Amino acid sequence: MQPVFALVDCNNFYASCEKLFRPDLNDLPVIVLSNNDGCVVARSKEAKALDIKMGVPVHQIQDKIHHQQIVVFSSNYALYADISHRVMTTLASLTPEVEVYSIDEAFCEVGTLRLLQSFTELGLNIRATVQQHIGMTVCVGIAPTKTLAKLANHGAKKYPATQGVVDLTDPARQQRLMAMVPVEDVWGVGRKISKRLNAQGITTALQLAQADPKTIRQQFSVVLERTVRELNGQPCFTMETQPTAKQQIVVSRSFGQRMVNMDLMREAISDFIATGCYKLRKERRKAKTMSFYFTTSYFAKGPRHSGYQVIHLAQASDDPRVFSSRMSQELPTLWRDGFPYAKAGVMFADFERPDVTQLSLFDQPSDGKSERLLATIDQIHAQGLGRLYFASQGNHQPHWQTKQLHRSPSYTTKWAELARVR
DNA sequence: TCTGGGGTCCTAGGACCC
DNA sequence: TCTGGGGTCCTAGGACCC
């Protein structure tokens, strides 16, 4: 049996999460900012109506925020992750297979459900149930391929007459919608590629669907060829319900203030390393390679500089002390005094599973001390008994911490910040 | 003054081997 | 004078996604 994909996508997800706990904001324009309160990453429909663009730096719209009384939030990922989990759990109760595709959307395989109801009825039911259980509004696009399901969802969002559900299983309907959708709105077609396609006279999804897949592969890549085939109803992407093991782990931040002191930089990077190692342990992996970098602002007019260094370990590790001491050795050789560094980060790669760690000839097998120490620290954190830091992380966080001037309470993940009902 | 963070996949090109 | 071809592995960079 041919698969049928339903793409369920939350509307204005971050902004909607904030509104869930603030009914007083119901009809007000709300925006959510990226880390460091840098740019706009989510807008409520009222904010969209005020023509606030996605990704715009917040300092460029300060006046508008003030005059239109736009409500501003810093990102609160703990809250969004928790709401996301609730949405996904509800979807899992309604459909046989769920692939969590991102924090605010999921593909559901619904081919077998056609015997019970029409796809439109199914979509409306999903929408009503998520609304009732969580208070989150979703749109549903249903089609024989993931790319067409994305397109259907796009239509459901754009045209209110659809009531948020588009069944795109009918080829004639596919053609009609594709003719209306600009090619840059197709899943997998970004800025660069749409520009090149436009230059060739391909401006709509339908024109891309009608292009010759072999030619597209030659001129672009196998990736875009798959997109063309998917637009024609030929599935190239399947459901991926098992979370795949990560290939790399990245921790990077922009600083709240420019960093001009090497010792503070060392502390900041050590802190990122500690976070990364925690993520490694959560994934049950050890890394053989870590790289770190620090850089001046990409946008700054003044002099620029960045340092970058890859560190290879003989033996994979998830212990921050191992990575931090190597980073500490290398940092002075990369550092330049006088540059206002704006951002830094660490990347872990070359993962091994802890239970199959390969020792080299001269390595001592671990005595388990480090593992027990780290496990104890993780446990203390998990139980909320306080926070432990390695000395290399320092105690100067306020000097470089990201800005978060508008963060909402952790309504669902911290006892002290639970929502109150009066 | 003020511009996010975390991922994946693919490709081209170089090093190296036989 | 004449200077191969095919394979693998690795890395960097580019494109995309949310």
Side-chain angles (χ1 to χ4, degrees):
Chain A
M1 189 142 98
Q2 291 283 320
V4 178
F5 301 93
L7 179 69
V8 183
D9 189 318
C10 300
N11 294 11
N12 321 320
F13 183 60
Y14 293 176
S16 303
C17 287
E18 297 293 348
K19 283 198 179 197
L20 274 182
F21 293 87
R22 293 284 303 274
D24 57 306
L25 303 179
N26 227 347
D27 300 316
L28 300 182
V30 167
I31 60 175
V32 180
L33 307 183
S34 63
N35 265 336
N36 215 31
D37 291 348
C39 44
V40 176
V41 293
R43 308 151 296 157
S44 73
K45 65 175 189 297
E46 299 82 5
K48 285 179 184 170
L50 294 174
D51 203 32
I52 304 229
K53 300 278 187 247
M54 182 71 173
V56 68
V58 69
H59 66 88
Q60 286 177 11
I61 55 166
Q62 270 319 336
D63 285 353
K64 203 172 206 169
I65 289 173
H66 183 72
H67 289 126
Q68 310 276 5
Q69 308 201 335
I70 295 168
V71 183
V72 179
F73 288 97
S74 303
S75 298
N76 183 349
Y77 292 108
L79 175 67
Y80 310 150
D82 184 57
I83 303 301
S84 171
H85 183 243
R86 293 169 194 229
V87 172
M88 300 307 170
T89 306
T90 302
L91 293 181
S93 73
L94 295 170
T95 64
E97 261 189 290
V98 177
E99 171 189 341
V100 177
Y101 178 68
S102 76
I103 194 162
D104 75 331
E105 61 190 294
F107 287 103
C108 304
E109 214 289 290
V110 296
T112 52
L113 300 181
R114 90 161 29 99
L115 305 171
L116 305 171
Q117 61 199 319
S118 79
F119 286 131
T120 303
E121 282 167 349
L122 171 70
L124 289 171
N125 180 33
I126 289 174
R127 196 172 140 91
T129 309
V130 176
Q131 182 69 250
Q132 188 195 348
H133 288 192
I134 293 122
M136 178 66 58
T137 306
V138 300
C139 283
V140 186
I142 300 167
T145 67
K146 283 184 165 180
T147 304
L148 283 171
K150 274 277 197 184
L151 201 83
N153 191 282
H154 179 81
K157 279 225 165 79
K158 185 151 185 190
Y159 304 107
T162 62
Q163 297 183 68
V165 177
V166 168
D167 170 5
L168 210 57
T169 47
D170 170 36
R173 207 161 180 227
Q174 292 166 12
Q175 304 266 317
R176 280 204 301 280
L177 181 57
M178 283 195 287
M180 294 192 285
V181 174
V183 74
E184 61 263 31
D185 290 344
V186 172
W187 190 43
V189 179
R191 260 210 346 268
K192 295 273 165 105
I193 288 179
S194 61
K195 222 172 176 178
R196 284 172 61 195
L197 286 170
N198 285 343
Q200 297 189 11
I202 298 179
T203 59
T204 68
L206 184 60
Q207 286 172 315
L208 180 60
Q210 289 166 342
D212 173 44
K214 290 276 171 264
T215 314
I216 290 289
R217 182 182 195 138
Q218 263 174 21
Q219 295 180 355
F220 294 86
S221 70
V222 63
V223 183
L224 195 62
E225 181 195 4
R226 288 187 194 128
T227 301
V228 171
R229 294 187 185 280
E230 285 241 322
L231 286 175
N232 285 286
Q234 179 185 337
C236 300
F237 307 116
T238 55
M239 289 287 284
E240 286 170 30
T241 50
Q242 297 306 315
T244 48
K246 284 196 196 331
Q247 308 290 308
Q248 71 175 23
I249 286 175
V250 176
V251 181
S252 68
R253 292 285 178 279
S254 297
F255 302 122
Q257 308 168 29
R258 298 296 188 241
M259 182 90 84
V260 292
N261 178 308
M262 188 176 79
D263 293 321
L264 289 181
M265 180 66 84
R266 179 182 283 124
E267 291 183 5
I269 299 178
S270 288
D271 196 62
F272 301 162
I273 288 174
T275 304
C277 285
Y278 170 65
K279 291 185 180 185
L280 278 172
R281 296 194 294 275
K282 232 170 44 176
E283 284 276 315
R284 311 207 106 272
R285 289 293 182 276
K286 293 186 175 189
K288 274 192 99 161
T289 302
M290 185 199 79
S291 46
F292 69 93
Y293 70 92
F294 52 91
T295 180
T296 51
S297 169
Y298 181 74
F299 305 96
K301 301 267 188 296
R304 293 185 189 175
H305 176 250
S306 45
Y308 172 72
Q309 179 73 49
V310 183
I311 289 168
H312 294 284
L313 301 184
Q315 199 182 331
S317 176
D318 58 7
D319 187 334
R321 295 170 298 176
V322 173
F323 293 107
S324 282
S325 70
R326 289 288 300 274
M327 179 276 293
S328 272
Q329 288 167 21
E330 306 284 354
L331 181 60
T333 66
L334 305 169
W335 180 264
R336 303 270 171 81
D337 272 324
F339 285 91
Y341 293 110
K343 181 179 179 179
V346 297
M347 284 165 283
F348 296 86
D350 287 344
F351 295 161
E352 291 178 0
R353 288 169 42 185
D355 50 337
V356 293
T357 297
Q358 180 66 50
L359 295 179
S360 75
L361 189 56
F362 303 106
D363 284 331
Q364 293 287 331
S366 163
D367 59 7
K369 255 189 202 164
S370 157
E371 281 78 4
R372 287 201 298 279
L373 172 68
L374 296 168
T376 306
I377 291 175
D378 289 344
Q379 207 180 347
I380 288 170
H381 289 170
Q383 292 174 355
L385 299 175
R387 260 202 101 62
L388 292 175
Y389 296 92
F390 292 100
S392 58
Q393 289 169 253
N395 59 351
H396 301 94
Q397 272 205 25
H399 288 276
W400 49 266
Q401 209 163 40
T402 49
K403 259 191 300 187
Q404 276 210 317
L405 299 178
H406 312 282
R407 222 209 63 189
S408 55
S410 299
Y411 296 110
T412 61
T413 50
K414 282 191 190 160
W415 286 112
E417 300 182 11
L418 286 186
R420 283 159 210 265
V421 181
R422 290 178 228 277

